[in-house]
Structure formats: structure tokens, C-alpha cells
Amino acid sequence: MIIDAHLDLAYNALRGRDVLRPAGDQKPDPDDIPTVGLPDLYAGGVKLICATIYAEPDSPKFKGYRTTEEAHAAGMAQMQWYLDREKDGYFKIVRSRSDVGWALPTTATKAVGSAHPALPAIILLEGADPIRTPAEVPFWFDQGVRLVGLAWKQTRYAGGTGAPGPMTPEGKALVKALDAVGMIHDASHLAEESFWQLCELSAGPIIASHSNCRSIVPTDRQLSDAMIRVIVQRGGVIGINFFDRFLIPPVEKRRATLDDVIAHMQHICDLAGNANHVAIGTDMDGGLGRDQIPQEIITSADLPKLADALSRAKFSDADVTNIMSGNWLRYFSANLA
């Protein structure tokens, strides 16, 4: 059993990929070769995912939202895609801690035309700009969102990757609104100043769905040792991102391997004193392709290779099970609303 805590499925679907089909059957892109499709997840033994809503901010490279209303519309389109696919039977949106049990062996209803049960999915909002005001948080909760990251790059709410800075007053109000309904905070893209403010403002659960170690890759996209320790102290879990630029230092001009993934996992285990706070959040197909992930991985069907690599690296069977699924399973069973 495997849990992947970060996949941009709706984002990719709405930009033209048929993520319900195998990655090899999807429209190829020379710069972004698909690695994730629903059949690949089934083949890899993935039983639960965090499925993201990611609204693209406008930039010279990508056309995206420029206003609050545009961000809201982009986020709602992706939320509706998940809701529609739930009606079709492809996903079961996880809305409460009791729903996490859907990931366990079950006789769940199969999707039309599918040999597999519906895949349980926890909806994660990556970058909070689609939330127009803090007063709108209950609406998003009712739609099915259960995890929120305040920033991707800078948002109206907080500093983010490549855009250092504190939370805005509206961001502080948003944190209170998120806590009021029981949302889980995702710190993955928060600027460091905003991260520490979040830790002070919120007593609620905090994770990093797809973040690596700054001590290995020294950029602001990664977590410092101090940030890792705080997430651990608060009982959180950190999902390791499979993007090679987040796995290996910039000076190393090579492809990443599963050994690099394990190096980040081992560092978190060393800081935590155990293997109970690290897991998987691949971010595969999140703006990166097959040539930008560990070279042993072709699609999500290959994720069991990580378990084998962990065993070869002398992780115990119990630790391998926890990293592949048990840590996320335990966390979501305890901390979802």
C-alpha cells in the first residue's frame, strides 16, 4: 500500500491531459513527459492521494491568473473536475478522518469501465489565492478541501518560494478561519518568515506535503533543519518531493536516483530520531516530467521500487511500511476534521 500526498491531477486534466488514462497514452510533451495516470497509480499500489488544486499565477513563462476573481475561477474549475470525477466513480473524496478507511482493502464501487475501485483523494489547495476572503473558507471546506497551503510563490496571504516575506494581515485572518473549520496547513511553499508566523498563530495540524531538506539542497524551497524539527515536534509528516532539482545540489549535473530520495528521508529520520515523520509527496507531473525525477521511476507504477531501495538501505520492514503509507495513514486518521 502506498500513499502519495501531492499530485496535480486536475491542473493537468484542464491543460489537456487525460489523467484517467495511463501516462504512456497521454499526449507527449518533449519538455514534460507524463508519468502519472490513474491506471499507473493502481498498478503501483497507490491507495490514497492528496489531489491538488493549483491555480497558476501569471508569469512571463505561463499565462495564469492576475486577479482574485481569476484565481477563484481557476480553483473552482479544478474543484469541479474532482467533484465530477467523483460522480463518475473514479475518485472518492475524503472529507473526514473516518473516510481514510477507504484506502484500506475494500469492496468499494468500481468506476464505470474500470477494473478498479474509486481512488480515495484528499483535496489540497496549493496556494490560497483562490480563496477570495477568509469568510469564504467554510465554502471551500463544504466543497471538499481539507488541506491548504497559504502560498506557492507570493500570494495575497503570505510570502512563498522565491518571494520571501511575512504573512499579510489578511493572511493572519485566513489562518484563524482555516483553524476554525479544521483545515490542515501545508507549509511546503511558505517563505520562512511566514512559516514561523504560522507556527505562532496556529495550534492546528501542520505538514509539508512535498518538501525536501535544505541541508542537502540549499534553496528556500526546501525546509531548514529548524523547520523540520518543529513539524516533527507538532506530530507532522513531510512528504519527499521527487523533482531532481529538489533532490540533488545544483552543482551536481546528473539525474537523481532513489538513493537521493532516501538521503532526504534519512536526514529527516536522523532529526526526528525515528521514521515516523517522513513519507511520499512525489509532485510527479507537477510541472516536471519523466526526465526530471529519479531515473528508476518511469510512472507511478514504479513507486514500489522505493520500498525495495529503502530495504536495501537497511530500513526495517516497519519503517518501510510507515514511509510508504503508514505515516500518512496515521496522520490523516488523527487530524482530518
Side-chain angles (χ1 to χ4, degrees):
M1 177 176 170
I2 295 174
I3 296 174
D4 189 339
H6 201 93
L7 292 172
D8 297 327
L9 297 182
Y11 165 76
N12 281 307
L14 295 181
R15 68 185 185 113
R17 288 190 179 170
D18 187 354
V19 299
L20 304 179
R21 297 177 61 80
D25 293 348
Q26 296 173 32
K27 184 178 179 181
D29 181 335
D31 299 320
D32 191 0
I33 302 171
T35 63
V36 180
L38 204 53
D40 306 302
L41 293 168
Y42 293 139
V46 177
K47 302 296 186 183
L48 173 66
I49 63 172
C50 291
T52 75
I53 294 171
Y54 167 62
E56 184 102 60
D58 199 59
S59 69
K61 187 176 180 180
F62 298 105
K63 180 176 173 57
Y65 70 85
R66 295 186 177 185
T67 67
T68 300
E69 290 301 323
E70 288 174 352
H72 177 80
M76 281 304 303
Q78 292 183 35
M79 185 72 243
Q80 190 61 52
W81 186 87
Y82 288 122
L83 293 170
D84 289 344
R85 300 295 79 74
E86 182 179 44
K87 290 178 182 177
D88 295 340
Y90 289 102
F91 298 104
K92 294 188 75 167
I93 296 177
V94 172
R95 294 176 170 84
S96 70
R97 62 186 64 176
S98 61
D99 294 343
V100 176
W102 291 339
L104 300 173
T106 180
T107 55
T109 303
K110 295 176 180 178
V112 176
S114 171
H116 302 280
L119 181 63
I122 305 171
I123 306 301
L124 188 165
L125 181 58
E126 182 179 19
D129 271 348
I131 303 174
R132 289 176 290 193
T133 70
E136 198 172 73
V137 166
F139 166 80
W140 285 96
F141 186 88
D142 289 344
Q143 293 295 299
V145 174
R146 291 297 179 270
L147 297 95
V148 174
L150 295 177
W152 183 69
K153 291 186 182 297
Q154 189 176 41
T155 62
R156 302 190 322 279
Y157 298 113
T161 300
M167 284 187 197
T168 64
E170 193 173 18
K172 295 177 181 179
L174 182 63
V175 169
K176 294 181 181 180
L178 295 171
D179 285 350
V181 298
M183 292 282 197
I184 296 172
H185 296 283
D186 184 0
S188 292
H189 278 282
L190 274 180
E192 189 154 358
E193 187 174 355
S194 290
F195 172 87
W196 292 114
Q197 286 180 306
L198 174 63
C199 292
E200 292 174 2
L201 289 168
S202 174
I206 299 176
I207 65 162
S209 69
H210 63 311
S211 288
N212 297 356
C213 304
R214 193 180 299 177
S215 66
I216 299 174
V217 179
T219 73
D220 73 339
R221 175 61 182 85
Q222 323 310 326
L223 299 171
S224 70
D225 286 359
M227 296 163 82
I228 292 169
R229 287 191 181 97
V230 166
I231 292 173
V232 168
Q233 288 165 4
R234 294 179 64 146
V237 177
I238 298 164
I240 297 301
N241 190 313
F242 277 31
F243 187 20
D244 58 6
R245 285 175 51 195
F246 300 161
L247 288 169
I248 54 179
V251 295
E252 297 187 25
K253 306 298 182 182
R254 61 177 177 84
R255 289 285 303 279
T257 70
L258 290 177
D259 287 343
D260 296 304
V261 174
I262 292 172
H264 286 266
M265 291 180 166
Q266 183 65 63
H267 185 72
I268 293 170
C269 292
D270 291 343
L271 292 174
N274 56 55
N276 297 332
H277 299 276
V278 66
I280 302 170
T282 67
D283 200 21
M284 281 165 44
D285 284 359
L288 52 129
R290 187 179 301 161
D291 293 336
Q292 298 163 296
I293 60 176
Q295 56 189 358
E296 299 95 332
I297 305 295
I298 305 302
T299 73
S300 296
D302 296 310
L303 287 176
K305 293 179 180 179
L306 176 60
D308 296 334
L310 285 163
S311 293
R312 290 194 299 271
K314 307 303 182 183
F315 282 77
S316 70
D317 289 351
D319 287 346
V320 173
T321 297
N322 279 336
I323 290 169
M324 300 304 290
S325 63
N327 290 336
W328 283 133
L329 193 66
R330 182 188 68 252
Y331 188 83
F332 292 132
S333 296
N335 289 286
L336 282 169

